[in-house]
Amino acid sequence: MSRGGRQAYAALSVLAAGALVLTGCSKGGSDASNNNKQDEQNAKRQQSSIKFGDAADSAGPAAAVKGAKPGGTMEVLQRDSFAHLDPGQIYVSDEMALSQLIHRGLTGYKATGTDGKSHEVVGDLATDSGTTTDGGKTWKYTLKDGVKFDDGTPITSKDVRQTFERLFAPFINQGPTYIQQWLADSSGADYRKLLPGGPYKGKHLPSSVLATPDDKTIVFHFKTPHPDLPYALAMSGYSVVSAKGDTKEKYDKNPVTTGPYKIQSFKSGKSMVLVKNPNWDPKTDPIRNQYVDQWKFTFNQQFEQSTKALLADSGADAAGVSLSNQVDAGNLSSVLKDPKMKSRTISGYQPYVGQMNINMSKPELKDIKVRQAIAYALPVTPFIRAYGGTDAMEVAGGLISPTVSGYDAKFDPFGKKEKPAGDPAKAKQLLKEAGKLNMKLTFGYINTPEGQQYSTAMAAGLKKAGFDVQRQEIPAESYYDQVSKLNNNYDIFHTAWGADWPSASTVIPPLYDGRQIADGASNYSQVNDPHVNSEIDRINKITDPVKSAAEWEKLDKYLLTKVVNEVPTAYYKQVQIAGSKVGGFVYDDVIGGVDPRRLYIK
């Protein structure tokens, strides 16, 4: 999944102008909490596999939150509006956080404790997390009694069939593709050949692929084992869509919901109001609570704005929170040092890895020496500083997060951990050898204060190495839609990706499979390397998670040393605050931030 403007399983204020050119520092930002050991423990905990629950685990209602009471309006301050509300189009962190309130799937992640650190995959709309008798080739699900859409229509297997068949339609191009590929037994975008156009012309997947023998039963048939299906089904992108209410492209702005809340109003870029869904039955839901009467979202709240409002803790903001906004860089240190803020602060290690994409479709970037020059020249200090320094992130070496099995802390191909300000001398020599001094680079950046800050300083670092860098801003709300276009204008641009569950099989294939180059796909660098493609197929067949983790890490190293289509920047952490009247405020490892399903007004 992509972060910020794209989780899971899953920015901040402008500093003084002088800080923009401080690219020579070894690190940036505050050192208010030197929690390296705690970070390591958090990361290792998130590498652990999550068990699949049975029918008893899947029964509702969700565990009550201690001290919770119903009622009130929760104010939600968000930087980015929601580009997509259609489950099939949801693959960014902000929208996935919202989906916890409005959408449900066959399975979901249930917190098994009160601190957001322990989970199991359970049946959500289904009676359990799934049953298989042949090692993962065939999976059977049964819908619970009494599950309905917000319009009162019962959810049946016809809706589940529609949910998956519509994913083959060309207008669905932003969400996950795991299950489509598994059903088609293919890699990349070839899965669409299984049901061209989706179900809208009367054609359907054969029962040998997807069977719905009655209104309650769904059976997935795969040609090869996919023991991770319960994890995949728990993704927001596979939440159930109403067959009766499916309005194709229009569904993206006005979906029929299944969660405890429904959409009363949505003004893109301005506001959203959620109210209680009267057709949601808590007896069927082991995951979510429905304490708050109304959720009132206000968009275009930059991290500095939302932080100041929540710190002020007055009026409506005393019952305020943000699902995605972090504490801004200017306030991060003081918030972490203030003992009075401890009860209103949550933090955790996220599964995201930041990376500067080098657009391999551009002819001038075909030369590996040019790509190596970018990799060595690029300073990562400005990026980390913009987001609050070492309390908010740490310098990345590889493409696999510390929260994912296979992570190698020693891997650092471009020396960023030792020289986070970059190595312009080495980069300039590479550029000379390529005969490309003063080569033009178009740097696409997100138009937020953080994006302005880090892109300015990163561009300065690239210029030192001999590049002619032209910056182009991209709107935050549609950032990932823009950079995932095949014919975009950008030579380099930053994205962040987090594992969809604790396996690099949800990192390497979606990002670097050359057969998955398409508009809206997540192969942002448009890399198409035959060795990478064949290794993806080989490693995906390894059923031993320890062995597969080691092989994914080898492929990570190949990508960064032999291909050089990315420059890792940072591993993400998250610090969030809430108003003093917000109860149930917990950081959830799976969500990678606040768990909105527990929140209530004190």
Side-chain angles (χ1 to χ4, degrees):
M1 65 201 144
S2 297
R3 183 192 190 278
R6 227 172 236 234
Q7 164 139 295
Y9 84 147
L12 301 123
S13 99
V14 180
L15 301 181
L20 298 180
V21 296
L22 295 179
T23 60
C25 302
S26 61
K27 60 182 177 179
S30 70
D31 285 311
S33 59
N34 186 16
N35 289 330
N36 291 339
K37 187 173 181 180
Q38 184 64 49
D39 287 341
E40 289 177 12
Q41 292 173 347
N42 288 342
K44 287 181 180 178
R45 182 184 68 250
Q46 288 173 254
Q47 287 182 21
S48 303
S49 61
I50 297 172
K51 82 161 192 168
F52 298 156
D54 58 19
D57 299 317
S58 306
V65 176
K66 186 178 180 180
K69 60 181 182 179
T73 296
M74 186 75 70
E75 299 287 333
V76 186
L77 307 176
Q78 292 286 109
R79 185 189 72 186
D80 302 329
S81 183
F82 302 121
H84 302 288
L85 301 176
D86 182 333
Q89 296 281 67
I90 291 178
Y91 211 3
V92 306
S93 57
D94 298 9
E95 293 157 8
M96 294 180 88
L98 171 71
S99 72
Q100 305 297 326
L101 298 171
I102 63 173
H103 293 313
R104 297 176 67 182
L106 290 177
T107 68
Y109 288 91
K110 169 184 169 182
T112 55
T114 60
D115 58 3
K117 296 178 180 179
S118 55
H119 301 81
E120 60 186 347
V121 176
V122 299
D124 186 359
L125 293 173
T127 55
D128 56 31
S129 60
T131 56
T132 181
T133 56
D134 55 7
K137 284 185 177 182
T138 306
W139 284 90
K140 180 181 177 182
Y141 289 89
T142 303
L143 291 171
K144 292 174 179 173
D145 294 330
V147 289
K148 298 177 181 179
F149 290 103
D150 68 33
D151 62 3
T153 304
I155 299 170
T156 72
S157 62
K158 291 186 179 73
D159 299 298
V160 179
R161 174 175 284 280
Q162 182 79 6
T163 297
F164 288 93
E165 290 183 339
R166 70 195 298 274
L167 298 176
F168 293 84
F171 72 88
I172 299 291
N173 58 18
Q174 293 291 324
T177 59
Y178 301 109
I179 297 178
Q180 300 95 298
Q181 292 173 345
W182 297 348
L183 290 169
D185 194 34
S186 67
S187 300
D190 283 348
Y191 70 85
R192 293 191 189 273
K193 296 176 183 177
L194 181 63
L195 189 64
Y200 301 105
K201 294 182 179 179
K203 293 185 178 180
H204 298 281
L205 295 174
S207 58
S208 60
V209 173
L210 179 64
T212 50
D214 56 51
D215 281 350
K216 288 291 190 74
T217 306
I218 304 99
V219 184
F220 295 90
H221 295 284
F222 306 121
K223 289 184 179 179
T224 57
H226 291 289
D228 284 351
L229 181 63
Y231 290 133
L233 286 170
M235 297 176 66
S236 300
Y238 294 121
S239 297
V240 171
V241 168
S242 166
K244 183 182 80 170
D246 185 358
T247 51
K248 299 176 70 174
E249 290 91 339
K250 293 180 181 179
Y251 202 82
D252 212 12
K253 297 302 179 186
N254 189 26
V256 187
T257 65
T258 51
Y261 295 90
K262 64 179 183 177
I263 301 167
Q264 183 181 77
S265 65
F266 176 46
K267 297 177 181 178
S268 183
K270 296 180 180 180
S271 64
M272 171 183 273
V273 176
L274 304 181
V275 295
K276 285 186 174 182
N277 172 9
N279 287 301
W280 171 80
D281 184 353
K283 293 178 183 177
T284 70
D285 196 332
I287 297 171
R288 304 163 190 82
N289 294 290
Q290 192 195 48
Y291 295 123
V292 178
D293 284 340
Q294 181 175 262
W295 297 75
K296 185 178 178 182
F297 290 73
T298 304
F299 302 117
N300 294 315
Q301 300 295 301
Q302 299 296 332
F303 289 8
E304 185 176 19
Q305 288 175 275
S306 60
T307 300
K308 286 183 176 180
L310 295 175
L311 284 174
D313 198 38
S314 62
D317 292 328
V321 72
S322 178
L323 300 189
S324 309
N325 284 19
Q326 303 164 215
V327 176
D328 74 281
N331 286 293
L332 184 57
S333 179
S334 60
V335 165
L336 291 172
K337 287 179 179 178
D338 187 351
K340 295 179 181 178
M341 287 300 299
K342 189 172 182 180
S343 64
R344 293 170 52 198
T345 304
I346 58 172
S347 62
Y349 219 119
Q350 296 192 304
Y352 300 105
V353 179
Q355 48 211 285
M356 187 66 73
N357 300 271
I358 301 174
N359 191 339
M360 300 283 281
S361 73
K362 303 293 185 180
E364 60 272 21
L365 296 174
K366 299 292 186 185
D367 189 332
I368 191 170
K369 286 192 175 181
V370 172
R371 302 197 300 273
Q372 289 171 330
I374 293 171
Y376 282 106
L378 190 78
V380 299
T381 304
F383 186 81
I384 291 172
R385 186 185 298 279
Y387 287 88
T390 53
D391 286 319
M393 336 190 130
E394 68 178 67
V395 175
L399 301 167
I400 296 177
S401 164
T403 66
V404 175
S405 298
Y407 166 70
D408 182 354
K410 296 179 181 178
F411 183 50
D412 186 21
F414 308 121
K416 297 302 181 189
K417 294 184 179 183
E418 292 298 319
K419 293 183 178 180
D423 191 338
K426 185 167 186 174
K428 182 170 280 190
Q429 182 59 40
L430 286 163
L431 211 51
K432 282 182 180 178
E433 292 172 9
K436 298 288 180 64
L437 273 178
N438 300 313
M439 174 183 155
K440 181 180 176 181
L441 275 182
T442 301
F443 185 169
Y445 70 93
I446 191 167
N447 68 339
T448 62
E450 301 69 43
Q452 290 276 0
Q453 180 185 338
Y454 74 66
S455 65
T456 300
M458 282 178 153
L462 290 164
K463 287 177 182 178
K464 285 182 182 179
F467 288 100
D468 175 12
V469 186
Q470 308 296 319
R471 294 160 60 244
Q472 282 191 14
E473 70 173 34
I474 306 171
E477 179 179 349
S478 61
Y479 184 81
Y480 277 89
D481 289 354
Q482 297 302 315
V483 300
S484 63
K485 288 181 179 178
L486 290 183
N487 296 316
N488 66 59
N489 297 322
Y490 320 116
D491 294 317
I492 59 172
F493 52 90
H494 194 273
T495 58
W497 186 268
D500 291 308
W501 54 88
S503 168
S505 66
T506 68
V507 177
I508 303 292
L511 289 180
Y512 311 119
D513 188 334
R515 298 155 296 186
Q516 196 158 298
I517 295 175
D519 278 326
S522 48
N523 186 338
Y524 303 115
S525 65
Q526 298 186 45
V527 61
N528 188 6
D529 183 275
H531 177 72
V532 173
N533 296 346
S534 63
E535 282 295 276
I536 285 172
D537 291 343
R538 182 184 69 83
I539 301 169
N540 267 331
K541 294 175 182 176
I542 300 174
T543 56
D544 185 321
V546 176
K547 290 180 180 178
S548 65
E551 295 303 305
W552 288 125
E553 180 55 29
K554 288 179 185 177
L555 194 51
D556 172 16
K557 292 174 179 176
Y558 174 85
L559 280 159
L560 292 180
T561 58
K562 304 298 183 182
V563 181
V564 194
N565 60 306
E566 306 279 4
V567 187
T569 56
Y571 302 130
Y572 284 59
K573 306 172 190 175
Q574 178 92 331
V575 179
Q576 293 173 272
I577 57 173
S580 61
K581 292 184 179 179
V582 176
F585 191 48
V586 170
Y587 185 94
D588 188 273
D589 281 349
V590 166
I591 296 171
V594 59
D595 183 353
R597 303 164 301 189
R598 300 173 49 88
L599 297 181
Y600 65 92
I601 308 297
K602 295 178 182 177

